Amino acid sequence: MEFRGRRDASREKEDGAIPMRKIKHNEVMQIGDKIWLPVSIAEMRISKRYDTIPSGTLYPNADEIAYLQRLVRFKDSAIIVLNKPPKLPVKGNVPIHNSMDALAAAALSFGNDEGPRLVHRLDRETSGLLVMGRTKESIDYLHSVFSDYKGRNSSCKAWNKACEAMYQQYWALVIGSPKEKEGLISAPLSKVLLDDGKTDRVVLAQGSGFEASQDAITEYKVLGPKINGCSWVELRPITSRKHQLRVHCAEALGTPIVGDYKYGWFVHKRWKQMPQVDIEPTTGKPYKLRRPEGLDVQKGSVLSKVPLLHLHCREMVLPNIAKFLHVMNQQETEPLHTGIIDKPDLLRFVASMPSHMKISWNLMSSYLV
């Protein structure tokens, strides 16, 4: 809080006036202390203001509101789906200003009393489809869908079937190529604390029985041949664990994702230093990486010195929450409205890749199958 006043009982004047002073962030409150907070214009409804709000608050300004609304790919009465850009944190801790939950809660209400809430997460560096619930009821349904049980515990057969069909599909560019072209990774994960005592890291569980671990399952499929030491991989997480795809790629497959320096630092160093000689599948001749004229390579692509993370949630299939809210809440004696019945049980979304991944894709996708 930028402006704060604190009552100082020891300095209270004889006439009863209370002197005010600005307190420091490291001051310890004493019994009887009081803090006064000013009423900010940022507490007014978003819909009533279009001017710029100071970025020192946790509330978005007009430009941020417009930017976030451009990310929306789908909206109905139950959910909002966005295409999250890389480097935008999803869940913020004070005083993070531009986290997705803080911005969306303030800017994406679209007439509702409250803004949408997160129901699942993407890493800060990961891009792609992000779903938010618009009402308390839809949020509860979405939490069950994104859990390991996938919401399949209802008496409604259509709902259970839709939940079974739900999936998330990621595309990733990895260093190297998995030995098998497709498969199922079932490798439990555990969290360890590093030597500094502050930073944690997710690793493959050793199975000793003495460490806390969580089951983690990922389906993968290689999309094409290795080019310039890298290959494109499709990933479908069956479970939802922190850094699951990144750890499974780096440690289970031995092919860390390009730009993932936390789990693939040493491989990145070798990859950058290794001369690459790959063979074109059609001619059998050494493949030369194309560098289109005028292409700006300093955008985090594979040609830049420090590539950004190449992990993108590209496709998602979800139950139609808005429809099933009507179905579940409908009395058995009341017929469903024709417009509700005609709506599909499933919704499918596809998000375009961010610019740095598009550049890498265009450079390396000539021989994808």
Side-chain angles (χ1 to χ4, degrees):
M1 283 150 278
E2 192 168 342
F3 297 101
R4 295 173 286 189
R6 177 175 175 178
R7 176 178 177 174
D8 192 340
S10 63
R11 297 172 57 191
E12 188 166 340
K13 298 180 180 179
E14 294 181 359
D15 59 358
I18 303 173
M20 303 290 289
R21 64 183 178 84
K22 187 174 180 179
I23 63 174
K24 299 179 180 179
H25 71 281
N26 59 351
E27 286 194 51
V28 179
M29 291 191 67
Q30 305 295 330
I31 297 177
D33 286 349
K34 293 183 179 180
I35 296 179
W36 275 262
L37 303 176
V39 176
S40 170
I41 190 174
E43 294 176 3
M44 298 173 61
R45 287 181 59 86
I46 293 289
S47 60
K48 294 182 179 179
R49 56 182 167 82
Y50 300 92
D51 55 339
T52 300
I53 300 170
S55 293
T57 70
L58 293 180
Y59 296 84
N61 58 39
D63 290 337
E64 291 168 329
I65 293 172
Y67 171 73
L68 198 65
Q69 290 180 348
R70 289 196 297 270
L71 301 179
V72 175
R73 291 296 174 264
F74 176 84
K75 174 176 67 71
D76 64 11
S77 60
I79 67 173
I80 289 179
V81 181
L82 304 98
N83 186 5
K84 185 188 96 63
K87 298 191 290 186
L88 177 61
V90 170
K91 184 68 175 176
N93 296 318
V94 175
I96 291 180
H97 167 58
N98 64 337
S99 64
M100 182 67 78
D101 62 333
L103 292 174
L108 298 181
S109 60
F110 293 109
N112 286 6
D113 292 336
E114 295 184 359
R117 301 291 182 88
L118 293 169
V119 294
H120 70 115
R121 296 187 184 182
L122 295 176
D123 293 340
R124 182 181 184 275
E125 297 83 3
T126 304
S127 60
L129 293 168
L130 184 71
V131 182
M132 307 187 83
R134 300 194 67 194
T135 65
K136 184 181 184 303
E137 203 169 10
S138 65
I139 291 170
D140 292 339
Y141 273 74
L142 286 166
H143 276 308
S144 68
V145 167
F146 282 99
S147 70
D148 291 345
Y149 298 103
K150 305 295 184 196
R152 295 168 297 200
N153 56 357
S154 171
S155 58
C156 178
K157 293 182 179 179
W159 167 258
N160 293 336
K161 185 177 180 180
C163 289
E164 289 177 1
M166 178 262 184
Y167 68 83
Q168 294 172 273
Q169 181 194 92
Y170 291 73
W171 277 8
L173 182 63
V174 299
I175 301 175
S177 182
K179 294 180 180 179
E180 302 294 334
K181 296 304 180 184
E182 59 182 294
L184 182 71
I185 305 169
S186 181
L189 304 176
S190 61
K191 188 183 296 184
V192 297
L193 200 62
L194 300 184
D195 293 338
D196 60 6
K198 299 178 181 180
T199 310
D200 59 38
R201 180 185 177 95
V202 179
V203 298
L204 295 183
Q206 301 301 317
S208 62
F210 296 101
E211 57 182 342
S213 64
Q214 292 180 305
D215 291 336
I217 305 173
T218 303
E219 293 180 352
Y220 77 91
K221 178 182 179 181
V222 180
L223 296 177
K226 185 171 67 171
I227 300 173
N228 197 49
C230 302
S231 53
W232 288 97
V233 177
E234 176 187 295
L235 302 165
R236 288 196 183 190
I238 307 302
T239 55
S240 302
R241 307 287 181 244
K242 180 181 179 180
H243 296 175
Q244 173 178 320
L245 299 182
R246 295 166 63 181
V247 176
H248 275 179
C249 284
E251 299 191 17
L253 295 179
T255 56
I257 298 173
V258 171
D260 189 357
Y261 305 105
K262 182 168 186 174
Y263 297 104
W265 171 250
F266 294 106
V267 177
H268 272 81
K269 291 179 66 177
R270 293 198 301 270
W271 170 55
K272 285 298 182 183
Q273 295 168 359
M274 286 171 54
Q276 305 298 334
V277 180
D278 297 297
I279 305 301
E280 292 184 358
T282 54
T283 64
K285 297 180 180 180
Y287 175 83
K288 295 181 179 180
L289 186 64
R290 295 172 299 163
R291 295 174 182 259
E293 294 183 6
L295 179 67
D296 182 4
V297 300
Q298 302 301 326
K299 288 187 176 181
S301 71
V302 289
L303 296 183
S304 64
K305 294 181 179 179
V306 183
L308 296 176
L309 184 70
H310 282 57
L311 179 60
H312 177 72
C313 184
R314 178 181 178 272
E315 183 179 350
M316 186 182 299
V317 170
L318 283 176
N320 190 339
I321 303 295
K323 174 181 179 177
F324 283 108
L325 284 176
H326 286 283
V327 173
M328 302 287 202
N329 295 330
Q330 191 78 13
Q331 299 293 332
E332 294 184 1
T333 56
E334 299 179 8
L336 281 172
H337 190 274
T338 305
I340 301 298
I341 297 176
D342 293 340
K343 290 184 177 181
D345 289 350
L346 293 171
L347 299 175
R348 178 178 177 266
F349 310 103
V350 177
S352 60
M353 292 187 290
S355 58
H356 70 281
M357 289 186 66
K358 286 181 180 178
I359 294 173
S360 299
W361 176 269
N362 291 334
L363 287 167
M364 304 174 61
S365 62
S366 297
Y367 301 102
L368 291 180
V369 293

